[in-house]
Coordinates of all heavy atoms in Angstrom, one line a residue:
L1 N 21.1 -4.9 -33.5 CA 21.7 -3.7 -33.0 C 21.5 -2.6 -34.0 O 21.7 -2.7 -35.1 CB 23.2 -3.8 -32.7 CG 23.9 -2.6 -32.2 CD1 23.5 -2.4 -30.8 CD2 25.4 -2.8 -32.3
Y2 N 20.8 -1.5 -33.5 CA 20.4 -0.4 -34.4 C 21.3 0.8 -34.4 O 21.7 1.2 -33.3 CB 19.0 0.0 -34.1 CG 18.0 -1.1 -34.4 CD1 17.6 -1.9 -33.3 CD2 17.5 -1.4 -35.6 CE1 16.7 -3.0 -33.5 CE2 16.6 -2.4 -35.9 CZ 16.2 -3.2 -34.8 OH 15.4 -4.3 -35.0
L3 N 21.7 1.3 -35.6 CA 22.5 2.5 -35.7 C 21.7 3.6 -36.2 O 20.8 3.5 -37.1 CB 23.7 2.2 -36.6 CG 24.6 1.0 -36.3 CD1 25.7 1.0 -37.4 CD2 25.3 1.2 -34.9
T4 N 22.0 4.8 -35.7 CA 21.4 6.1 -36.2 C 22.5 7.0 -36.6 O 23.7 6.6 -36.9 CB 20.5 6.8 -35.1 OG1 21.4 7.2 -34.0 CG2 19.4 5.8 -34.6
D5 N 22.3 8.3 -36.6 CA 23.3 9.2 -37.0 C 24.5 9.4 -36.0 O 25.5 9.9 -36.4 CB 22.7 10.6 -37.3 CG 21.9 11.2 -36.2 OD1 21.3 10.4 -35.4 OD2 21.9 12.4 -36.0
T6 N 24.3 8.8 -34.9 CA 25.4 8.8 -33.9 C 26.2 7.5 -33.9 O 26.6 7.0 -32.8 CB 24.8 9.0 -32.5 OG1 23.9 8.0 -32.2 CG2 24.1 10.3 -32.4
V7 N 26.5 7.0 -35.1 CA 27.3 5.8 -35.2 C 28.6 5.8 -34.5 O 29.1 4.7 -34.1 CB 27.5 5.5 -36.8 CG1 28.5 6.5 -37.4 CG2 27.9 4.1 -36.9
D8 N 29.3 7.0 -34.3 CA 30.5 7.0 -33.7 C 30.4 7.6 -32.2 O 31.4 8.0 -31.7 CB 31.5 7.9 -34.5 CG 32.0 7.2 -35.7 OD1 32.1 5.9 -35.6 OD2 32.2 7.9 -36.7
G9 N 29.2 7.7 -31.7 CA 29.0 8.2 -30.4 C 29.6 7.4 -29.2 O 30.1 6.3 -29.5
K10 N 29.4 7.9 -28.1 CA 30.0 7.2 -26.9 C 29.3 5.8 -26.7 O 29.9 5.0 -26.0 CB 29.9 8.1 -25.6 CG 28.5 8.3 -25.2 CD 28.5 9.2 -23.9 CE 27.1 9.5 -23.5 NZ 27.0 10.3 -22.3
L11 N 28.1 5.5 -27.2 CA 27.5 4.3 -27.1 C 27.7 3.3 -28.3 O 27.1 2.3 -28.5 CB 26.0 4.4 -26.8 CG 25.7 5.1 -25.5 CD1 24.1 5.3 -25.4 CD2 26.2 4.3 -24.3
S12 N 28.7 3.7 -29.2 CA 28.9 2.9 -30.4 C 29.6 1.6 -29.9 O 30.2 1.5 -28.8 CB 29.8 3.6 -31.3 OG 31.1 3.8 -30.9
V13 N 29.6 0.6 -30.8 CA 30.3 -0.6 -30.5 C 31.7 -0.4 -30.2 O 32.3 -0.9 -29.3 CB 30.0 -1.7 -31.6 CG1 30.8 -2.9 -31.4 CG2 28.5 -2.0 -31.8
S14 N 32.4 0.4 -31.1 CA 33.8 0.6 -30.9 C 34.2 1.3 -29.7 O 35.2 1.0 -29.0 CB 34.4 1.3 -32.2 OG 33.8 2.5 -32.4
S15 N 33.3 2.3 -29.3 CA 33.6 3.1 -28.0 C 33.4 2.2 -26.8 O 34.2 2.2 -25.8 CB 32.6 4.3 -27.9 OG 33.0 5.2 -28.9
I16 N 32.4 1.3 -26.8 CA 32.2 0.4 -25.7 C 33.3 -0.6 -25.6 O 33.9 -0.8 -24.5 CB 30.8 -0.4 -25.9 CG1 29.6 0.6 -25.7 CG2 30.7 -1.5 -24.9 CD1 28.3 0.0 -26.1
R17 N 33.8 -1.0 -26.8 CA 34.9 -2.0 -26.8 C 36.2 -1.3 -26.2 O 36.9 -1.8 -25.3 CB 35.2 -2.5 -28.2 CG 36.3 -3.4 -28.3 CD 36.5 -3.8 -29.8 NE 37.5 -4.9 -30.0 CZ 38.8 -4.7 -30.2 NH1 39.3 -3.5 -30.2 NH2 39.6 -5.7 -30.4
N18 N 36.4 -0.1 -26.6 CA 37.7 0.6 -26.2 C 37.5 0.9 -24.7 O 38.5 0.9 -24.0 CB 37.8 1.9 -27.0 CG 38.2 1.7 -28.4 OD1 38.7 0.5 -28.8 ND2 38.0 2.6 -29.3
N19 N 36.4 1.3 -24.2 CA 36.2 1.6 -22.8 C 36.4 0.4 -22.0 O 37.0 0.5 -20.9 CB 34.8 2.3 -22.6 CG 34.7 3.7 -23.1 OD1 35.7 4.3 -23.3 ND2 33.5 4.1 -23.4
L20 N 35.9 -0.7 -22.4 CA 36.1 -2.0 -21.6 C 37.5 -2.3 -21.5 O 38.0 -2.8 -20.5 CB 35.2 -3.1 -22.2 CG 33.7 -3.0 -22.0 CD1 33.0 -4.0 -22.8 CD2 33.4 -3.2 -20.5
I21 N 38.2 -2.2 -22.6 CA 39.7 -2.6 -22.6 C 40.4 -1.6 -21.7 O 41.3 -2.0 -21.0 CB 40.3 -2.5 -24.1 CG1 39.6 -3.7 -24.9 CG2 41.7 -2.5 -24.1 CD1 40.0 -3.6 -26.4
E22 N 40.1 -0.3 -21.8 CA 40.7 0.7 -21.0 C 40.5 0.4 -19.5 O 41.4 0.5 -18.7 CB 40.3 2.1 -21.4 CG 41.0 3.2 -20.6 CD 40.5 4.6 -21.0 OE1 40.4 4.8 -22.2 OE2 40.2 5.4 -20.2
K23 N 39.3 0.0 -19.1 CA 38.9 -0.1 -17.7 C 39.4 -1.4 -17.2 O 39.9 -1.5 -16.0 CB 37.4 -0.1 -17.6 CG 36.9 -0.1 -16.2 CD 35.5 0.2 -16.1 CE 35.0 0.3 -14.6 NZ 33.6 0.6 -14.5
Y24 N 39.3 -2.6 -18.0 CA 39.7 -3.9 -17.4 C 40.9 -4.5 -18.0 O 41.2 -5.6 -17.6 CB 38.4 -4.8 -17.7 CG 37.2 -4.4 -17.0 CD1 36.2 -3.8 -17.7 CD2 37.1 -4.5 -15.6 CE1 35.0 -3.3 -17.0 CE2 35.9 -4.0 -15.0 CZ 35.0 -3.5 -15.6 OH 33.8 -3.0 -15.0
G25 N 41.6 -3.8 -18.9 CA 42.7 -4.5 -19.6 C 42.2 -5.2 -20.8 O 41.1 -5.5 -20.9
E26 N 43.2 -5.6 -21.7 CA 42.8 -6.1 -23.0 C 42.1 -7.5 -22.9 O 41.0 -7.7 -23.4 CB 44.0 -6.2 -23.9 CG 43.6 -6.7 -25.3 CD 44.7 -6.5 -26.4 OE1 45.7 -5.9 -26.0 OE2 44.4 -6.9 -27.5
K27 N 42.7 -8.4 -22.1 CA 42.1 -9.7 -22.0 C 40.7 -9.7 -21.4 O 39.8 -10.3 -22.0 CB 43.1 -10.7 -21.2 CG 42.6 -12.1 -21.2 CD 43.7 -12.9 -20.4 CE 43.2 -14.4 -20.4 NZ 44.2 -15.2 -19.7
K28 N 40.6 -9.2 -20.2 CA 39.3 -9.2 -19.6 C 38.3 -8.3 -20.3 O 37.1 -8.6 -20.5 CB 39.4 -8.7 -18.1 CG 38.2 -8.8 -17.3 CD 38.3 -8.4 -15.9 CE 37.0 -8.5 -15.1 NZ 37.2 -8.2 -13.7
G29 N 38.8 -7.1 -20.8 CA 37.9 -6.2 -21.5 C 37.3 -6.8 -22.7 O 36.1 -6.7 -23.0
L30 N 38.1 -7.6 -23.5 CA 37.6 -8.3 -24.7 C 36.7 -9.4 -24.4 O 35.7 -9.6 -25.1 CB 38.8 -8.7 -25.6 CG 39.6 -7.7 -26.3 CD1 40.8 -8.3 -27.0 CD2 38.7 -6.9 -27.3
R31 N 36.9 -10.1 -23.3 CA 36.0 -11.2 -22.8 C 34.6 -10.6 -22.5 O 33.7 -11.1 -22.9 CB 36.7 -11.9 -21.7 CG 35.9 -13.2 -21.3 CD 36.5 -14.1 -20.3 NE 36.7 -13.4 -19.0 CZ 37.8 -13.1 -18.4 NH1 39.0 -13.4 -18.9 NH2 37.8 -12.4 -17.3
L32 N 34.7 -9.5 -21.7 CA 33.4 -8.8 -21.3 C 32.7 -8.3 -22.6 O 31.5 -8.4 -22.7 CB 33.7 -7.6 -20.4 CG 34.1 -8.0 -19.0 CD1 34.6 -6.9 -18.2 CD2 33.0 -8.8 -18.3
F33 N 33.5 -7.7 -23.5 CA 32.9 -7.2 -24.8 C 32.2 -8.3 -25.5 O 31.1 -8.1 -26.1 CB 34.0 -6.5 -25.7 CG 33.6 -6.1 -27.0 CD1 32.9 -4.9 -27.1 CD2 33.8 -6.9 -28.1 CE1 32.4 -4.5 -28.4 CE2 33.4 -6.5 -29.4 CZ 32.7 -5.3 -29.5
D34 N 32.9 -9.5 -25.7 CA 32.3 -10.6 -26.4 C 31.0 -11.1 -25.7 O 30.0 -11.4 -26.4 CB 33.3 -11.7 -26.6 CG 34.4 -11.4 -27.5 OD1 34.3 -10.5 -28.4 OD2 35.5 -12.1 -27.4
M35 N 31.0 -11.1 -24.4 CA 29.8 -11.5 -23.7 C 28.7 -10.6 -23.9 O 27.6 -11.0 -24.1 CB 30.2 -11.7 -22.2 CG 31.0 -12.9 -21.8 SD 31.6 -12.9 -20.1 CE 30.2 -12.5 -19.1
W36 N 29.0 -9.3 -23.9 CA 28.0 -8.3 -24.0 C 27.3 -8.3 -25.3 O 26.1 -8.2 -25.5 CB 28.7 -6.9 -23.9 CG 27.8 -5.7 -23.8 CD1 26.6 -5.4 -24.4 CD2 28.1 -4.5 -23.1 NE1 26.1 -4.2 -24.1 CE2 27.0 -3.6 -23.2 CE3 29.1 -4.1 -22.3 CZ2 26.9 -2.3 -22.7 CZ3 29.1 -2.8 -21.7 CH2 28.0 -2.0 -21.9

C-alpha cells in the first residue's frame, strides 16, 4: 500500500476504516475493513 503527501486524505486507511464503521456499524465495518 503506497502513501504520498495525502496520507490523511479521504482514501487513507484510517478514513476508510472510519467510513466503514460509520456506514455498517463497528462489528460489520471492522470485518469489512479487515477483509479489504
Side-chain angles (χ1 to χ4, degrees):
L1 178 69
Y2 296 94
L3 301 179
T4 65
D5 57 325
T6 57
V7 69
D8 288 324
K10 66 181 180 178
L11 295 177
S12 70
V13 174
S14 58
S15 291
I16 292 170
R17 183 180 186 272
N18 293 339
N19 290 339
L20 287 171
I21 290 171
E22 184 179 310
K23 187 171 183 175
Y24 297 106
E26 187 166 354
K27 186 177 179 180
K28 185 176 182 181
L30 288 175
R31 190 173 64 241
L32 289 169
F33 175 81
D34 290 340
M35 288 171 43
W36 189 327

